[in-house]
Amino acid sequence: EVYSLGEVKAKAGVSSLREGRRDLPGAKQFGPPWRPPHLLSQPTEAPAGQSENMTAKEMKRQDVDGIAAFQRFWLGLDRDFWVLAAVVLCVAGLFFLHTIFAVRLATWWRAEMMPLERPEVEPCFPRGWLSDFLENRGLTTVNAMGLTMALRTAFACSLLGLSYTIQRFNTINRGCFTMQEVAVVIAFSVDVSLGLTIKNWWETLVGTLAPALNIIVMFHFFPLGVQTQFDKAWYFGVVDFVAFAMVFLLLKWPAGSCMFALSLQVSYTMNFLDPHSLVVYSDGLTTLNLAGAEVGALASTLVALLVALLIMAPLPWCFTPTALGHAQEDAIRLAWREGLLWRKLAACLSG
């Protein structure tokens, strides 16, 4: 049985479905029929019980709020919030473990490369089979390492592209989360060493998180965005975008953060200012929507970190480029060369 919006308001005792969705009595029998999140971005006709005078944007918001009414709240936060929080914790844990493992594995074996038995031989450190193969073809060490990382990234992105070619995996890209966004973040994050890759990813995360929080605040004050030209929401959106852009341009944020923040905020603001836009956004931190465009961008950034860490992993590449490992190599070479000078000096003085 489907109730009209007025009946739902009367039974819930609130002025809007959005205000009362946390404690809506018998929420499972109220609101519009449930629709999959990936269909929320498509216009719909007014179902039975909805007013024909409602705009498509109002029906869209009612659909989103109706789906939210089915969710359970824990500690004042909805299910989608805890799902995203669980993803963040998993990514953080894997990031911590992988970093420790990769750095440890990339540094411990270098001490074994010290030529103690043959001190006349200069230490030579392996770069991995792919880099060694490229060096044997005439490339320098620096160019071979750069090309190696490029090939690793290309291979990983090609695997992500299988989600578009294999029909079984097409559902991954039906919502706001897409493997295309993951590949973009990877392309701008992966660098020649593990530390630089993590640094680039943090800049990307800041550039993704800032516009996400900003658009959530905008839709919190104006859940339907701009409904008519030059209304209060329109002026609010314009002023907000100008202020947001000035903060990132005048305060000299890192280039990666500025690029992602401004590019995403342009898209978010255009959807906010468009009276006919049906793109879904969350309207509060405690009521996050996994179908929201800003949540999809955040999820893509988190998944991109995991893929980037796999690209930098020692297996199957047999080498993890780290700044600490390079420093160890330089220290070992310097110690060997200094020892060589002392041996030559001793041989010269002894006649």
Side-chain angles (χ1 to χ4, degrees):
E1 184 177 3
V2 178
Y3 291 84
S4 66
L5 181 60
E7 292 173 333
V8 171
K9 293 178 182 179
K11 291 179 179 292
V14 294
S15 59
S16 68
L17 182 60
R18 173 173 169 264
E19 295 175 1
R21 60 187 176 188
R22 296 190 181 188
D23 52 355
L24 190 61
K28 291 187 177 181
Q29 60 183 353
F30 300 141
W34 184 86
R35 296 167 58 233
H38 68 273
L39 296 180
L40 291 177
S41 60
Q42 303 177 7
T44 59
E45 298 180 357
Q50 282 187 337
S51 173
E52 296 181 356
N53 296 326
M54 294 178 63
T55 64
K57 182 175 285 190
E58 290 173 338
M59 289 190 293
K60 180 64 166 299
R61 175 51 62 181
Q62 182 173 343
D63 280 351
V64 174
D65 293 341
I67 293 175
F70 287 85
Q71 299 184 11
R72 294 183 178 181
F73 281 74
W74 187 56
L75 298 179
L77 304 172
D78 66 351
R79 180 201 62 188
D80 289 353
F81 176 89
W82 291 112
V83 171
L84 185 61
V87 173
V88 172
L89 291 177
C90 291
V91 171
L94 293 175
F95 165 74
F96 180 75
L97 294 176
H98 177 276
T99 303
I100 294 178
F101 170 75
V103 173
R104 175 62 178 171
L105 189 62
T107 55
W108 71 269
W109 55 267
R110 284 179 171 84
E112 304 296 332
M113 302 301 298
M114 286 291 292
L116 299 179
E117 298 180 356
R118 300 180 59 191
E120 70 281 358
V121 179
E122 183 174 0
C124 180
F125 303 97
R127 297 295 182 185
W129 63 268
L130 183 57
S131 181
D132 292 340
F133 173 80
L134 295 174
E135 288 187 29
N136 294 333
R137 294 300 183 273
L139 293 179
T140 63
T141 302
V142 176
N143 292 337
M145 283 301 304
L147 184 56
T148 298
M149 300 312 302
L151 292 176
R152 291 190 189 186
T153 305
F155 177 74
C157 291
S158 63
L159 293 181
L160 297 179
L162 294 178
S163 60
Y164 293 93
T165 57
I166 300 179
Q167 187 176 4
R168 180 180 300 178
F169 301 136
N170 287 344
T171 54
I172 299 177
N173 303 298
R174 287 185 179 178
C176 293
F177 170 82
T178 62
M179 287 300 176
Q180 178 183 356
E181 296 181 0
V182 175
V184 170
V185 176
I186 291 173
F188 283 98
S189 299
V190 175
D191 212 315
V192 294
S193 68
L194 181 63
L196 290 176
T197 299
I198 296 175
K199 169 184 172 294
N200 295 336
W201 179 83
W202 274 111
E203 293 181 0
T204 304
L205 179 62
V206 172
T208 306
L209 184 61
L213 295 176
N214 186 49
I215 196 64
I216 288 175
V217 172
M218 294 172 66
F219 274 94
H220 178 75
F221 290 108
F222 298 95
L224 296 178
V226 175
Q227 296 181 275
T228 59
Q229 191 175 14
F230 303 123
D231 60 1
K232 292 182 179 180
W234 188 90
Y235 288 103
F236 176 80
V238 172
V239 173
D240 176 88
F241 177 76
V242 173
F244 185 89
M246 291 181 63
V247 167
F248 272 87
L249 293 177
L250 297 181
L251 297 184
K252 297 182 180 180
W253 289 70
S257 299
C258 287
M259 178 183 63
F260 277 91
L262 295 178
S263 61
L264 289 175
Q265 188 59 46
V266 167
S267 174
Y268 296 166
T269 302
M270 292 299 102
N271 290 326
F272 181 84
L273 297 178
D274 184 6
H276 306 290
S277 175
L278 298 178
V279 180
V280 176
Y281 291 95
S282 304
D283 57 2
L285 291 177
T286 59
T287 54
L288 289 179
N289 192 335
L290 291 180
E294 81 290 351
V295 177
L298 283 174
S300 300
T301 305
L302 295 175
V303 174
L305 172 63
L306 297 180
V307 180
L309 292 179
L310 291 177
I311 293 175
M312 306 298 295
L315 297 176
W317 320 104
C318 303
F319 180 75
T320 299
T322 61
L324 179 58
H326 295 163
Q328 283 185 324
E329 293 177 3
D330 293 338
I332 293 174
R333 289 195 185 97
L334 181 61
W336 179 86
R337 291 170 183 172
E338 186 175 355
L340 180 61
L341 291 176
W342 280 106
R343 288 197 302 271
K344 291 182 178 180
L345 179 60
C348 179
L349 294 178
S350 62

